[in-house]
Amino acid sequence: MALTELAEKSLDLQYYIWEQDETGRILAERLVRAADRGVRVRLLVDDINLSGRDVQIAALDAHPNIEIRIFNPFANRAARLFDFAIDLNRVNHRMHNKIMLADNTVAIVGGRNIGNHYFEVATDANFGDLDIAATGPVVRDTSNVFDHFWNGDWAVPISALVDRPYTESDLQGAVSSLRERIAEDSYPYPLDEDIADLRADLSSIRDQLIWAPGQIVWDDPDDIETGAEHGRMHVALYRKLDTLQKEVLMEAAYFVAREGGLEKAGQLKARGVRVRLLTNSLATNDVLAAHAGHAKYRKELLANGVELYEMRPDAGVIRKKVISGQSKAALHTKAIVFDQESVFIGSFNLDPRSANINTEAGLYVESPELAAKVIEYMDEGVRPENSYRGLLDENGDLYWVTEVDGKEVRYDEEPETTSGQRFMSGFIEMLPVEDQL
């Protein structure tokens, strides 16, 4: 929000999901404010979550300083399932990137989409998530990545997807409606006060920055057309794992090891490299099929020495930050720390969809100082009051331990789940859908 006010020349935003909720509406309106004072706004959004929104998007695009493009749009705007039926090979590929750039000077890259669940204001469930802010030369490189997506064949102007040109009148109507909805919303944070404080604290924020070598790591959507077996992110990760000497700490919302991951875990164990993972439990995973893919390999991961933790739905590490005390916790972070020396934070889940189907982006930074800060963040997530630790008993059966009111509690089946959830997860586990998870 502060960046939309501070920007003087340009705002470039690239997101997988932009929700039609309070958070989504407020940020959209702030982009209009920036455009009104002459800032060039470019917005690239994946089409996966935009069903029924072409009219509103095209109306905002009518602003002379706002241009909106849609990544890999569905041809059948009113019947998307039809595209899945006849054109799956194309529409299955999505842009999972999350990037914001202000004046090509500051970048925010990470795991968050735009919506209440990602900013700890939803009343039903909230994600623990992580972004990284950067300045310096890496911002120019990130801007070049944005331009590559923006100028590519996969990015289609919203004006090409609607049946008529949209005008100033359409824009004014859309903005007026947007502001009326925002006035009716009860957003729980005093945003204007927060932004004023942030502007006043800019020098302090600058002094807290960690200066270190960094690079943007990303998947080229053009590789989809060439049929590359693995995306660039997947290849880079595996090459990095081969260099490790001490440990790798991972936090991933969706984790599906597959045979290659099991083999890599075994190689790391043989070299004495510690492997720790925090991912979602069945109770917190918002994608049941993804959990089924993870569950299939848990025993073998543990047998190969992986320290496995799964988030609790009442994890205090998230709930203490949110507005509603009744909100369920879930994990959406995608972060890795290598040998306590370097860090990756981005959109890349450790699953087949991120590796082979979607495009992803993240920042890789070589900095023991930053690594220490991220480790501190990750250590909170694996504390026994925030997660279940998976273990194998003497018979090789899986069980979980956690801590409730300072006392250890053991579960011999998926913690805090229903028989229906366990049945569906087990059923999906048997289906030949792993490559799509």
Side-chain angles (χ1 to χ4, degrees):
M1 292 288 293
L3 288 181
T4 67
E5 291 202 353
L6 293 169
E8 298 177 352
K9 296 180 180 179
S10 66
L11 287 164
D12 293 332
L13 298 92
Q14 179 179 9
Y15 283 96
Y16 175 59
I17 288 175
W18 193 299
E19 297 281 11
Q20 270 188 306
D21 58 16
E22 292 92 338
T23 295
R25 286 191 288 271
I26 290 171
L27 186 54
E29 194 274 338
R30 295 302 173 107
L31 293 179
V32 172
R33 290 194 201 183
D36 284 345
R37 64 173 195 270
V39 175
R40 182 201 67 183
V41 177
R42 295 187 296 176
L43 177 58
L44 177 60
V45 186
D46 191 88
D47 201 25
I48 194 68
N49 198 48
L50 300 182
S51 180
R53 296 164 65 182
D54 286 359
V55 170
Q56 298 97 315
I57 295 170
L60 294 179
D61 180 73
H63 195 295
N65 290 328
I66 297 177
E67 187 174 359
I68 304 174
R69 296 185 182 180
I70 309 302
F71 185 87
N72 197 15
F74 290 81
N76 293 280
R77 306 305 295 164
R80 293 170 175 235
L81 288 178
F82 188 68
D83 273 19
F84 277 112
I86 67 170
D87 199 12
L88 178 63
N89 189 51
R90 178 182 69 85
V91 300
N92 194 34
H93 295 284
R94 309 315 317 172
M95 181 193 73
H96 198 236
N97 311 31
K98 303 95 163 54
I99 294 173
M100 180 177 182
L101 297 145
D103 289 340
N104 283 348
T105 301
V106 179
I108 298 176
V109 181
R112 280 183 179 84
N113 295 299
I114 304 302
N116 287 351
H117 296 286
Y118 305 94
F119 290 90
E120 297 153 356
V121 296
T123 57
D124 55 346
N126 282 279
F127 291 118
D129 218 329
L130 190 65
D131 294 324
I132 182 168
T135 187
V138 73
V139 179
R140 293 195 295 272
D141 297 337
T142 305
S143 181
N144 290 337
V145 171
F146 178 92
D147 286 343
H148 183 82
F149 276 82
W150 181 260
N151 294 316
D153 294 338
W154 294 83
V156 178
I158 183 64
S159 58
L161 301 175
V162 290
D163 57 5
R164 65 173 178 85
Y166 279 69
T167 65
E168 174 72 17
S169 176
D170 296 309
L171 170 66
Q172 293 305 319
V175 172
S176 176
S177 176
L178 184 63
R179 288 173 175 161
E180 288 176 6
R181 286 294 307 275
I182 291 171
E184 295 170 358
D185 292 336
S186 55
Y187 205 72
Y189 291 125
L191 290 173
D192 290 326
E193 294 177 23
D194 291 344
I195 293 168
D197 291 343
L198 191 60
R199 291 175 67 106
D201 291 343
L202 281 178
S203 60
S204 173
I205 293 171
R206 178 198 62 204
D207 293 342
Q208 293 175 36
L209 289 172
I210 294 170
W211 299 98
Q215 67 184 85
I216 180 77
V217 187
W218 58 289
D219 289 320
D220 189 336
D222 294 340
D223 290 343
I224 297 172
E225 293 182 309
T226 65
E229 182 179 359
H230 297 299
R232 299 182 183 187
M233 301 273 286
H234 178 268
V235 173
L237 172 61
Y238 268 67
R239 287 176 178 170
K240 182 63 182 179
L241 291 176
D242 288 337
T243 70
L244 296 183
Q245 302 296 316
K246 295 182 292 187
E247 69 175 20
V248 57
L249 307 180
M250 299 176 289
E251 194 162 308
Y254 313 114
F255 181 85
V256 181
R258 295 189 287 179
E259 294 300 329
L262 292 177
E263 181 181 355
K264 185 60 64 176
Q267 293 171 359
L268 293 171
K269 179 185 178 183
R271 299 208 320 265
V273 176
R274 178 193 181 204
V275 180
R276 190 184 78 186
L277 167 70
L278 173 65
T279 189
N280 275 302
S281 63
L282 177 55
T284 63
N285 204 318
D286 64 323
V287 182
L288 187 60
H291 180 81
H294 162 58
K296 181 178 179 180
Y297 295 102
R298 283 184 298 200
K299 289 184 179 181
E300 292 172 279
L301 285 170
L302 290 167
N304 280 337
V306 174
E307 300 172 27
L308 175 61
Y309 296 85
E310 297 178 350
M311 176 156 280
R312 283 171 43 166
D314 61 343
V317 67
I318 297 174
R319 291 188 61 181
K320 68 184 180 184
K321 301 177 184 177
V322 303
I323 294 301
S324 171
Q326 302 303 312
S327 173
K328 186 179 79 170
L331 185 69
H332 201 256
T333 304
K334 307 95 166 56
I336 308 174
V337 179
F338 305 98
D339 276 345
Q340 303 174 19
E341 294 178 348
S342 57
V343 171
F344 170 83
I345 297 171
S347 68
F348 183 80
N349 289 304
L350 300 173
D351 62 12
R353 179 157 288 275
S354 282
N356 304 327
I357 299 174
N358 293 343
T359 69
E360 309 287 353
L363 290 184
Y364 169 76
V365 183
E366 295 181 340
S367 167
E369 183 182 358
L370 180 61
K373 290 182 178 294
V374 179
I375 290 171
E376 182 180 1
Y377 167 89
M378 290 175 141
D379 284 348
E380 183 76 8
V382 300
R383 289 172 62 88
E385 64 269 27
N386 292 323
S387 64
Y388 310 108
R389 182 170 185 180
L391 298 165
L392 296 178
D393 64 19
E394 61 275 8
N395 298 317
D397 294 325
L398 178 62
Y399 70 98
W400 295 260
V401 295
T402 188
E403 194 174 280
V404 178
D405 296 329
K407 297 181 180 179
E408 183 176 291
V409 177
R410 170 172 169 156
Y411 293 87
D412 291 312
E413 59 184 9
E414 302 270 10
E416 303 297 331
T417 60
T418 66
S419 58
Q421 288 175 303
R422 296 190 293 271
F423 171 80
M424 286 304 300
S425 177
F427 177 72
I428 296 172
E429 193 176 324
M430 296 185 293
L431 299 177
V433 295
E434 183 177 291
D435 288 347
Q436 298 297 313
L437 300 179

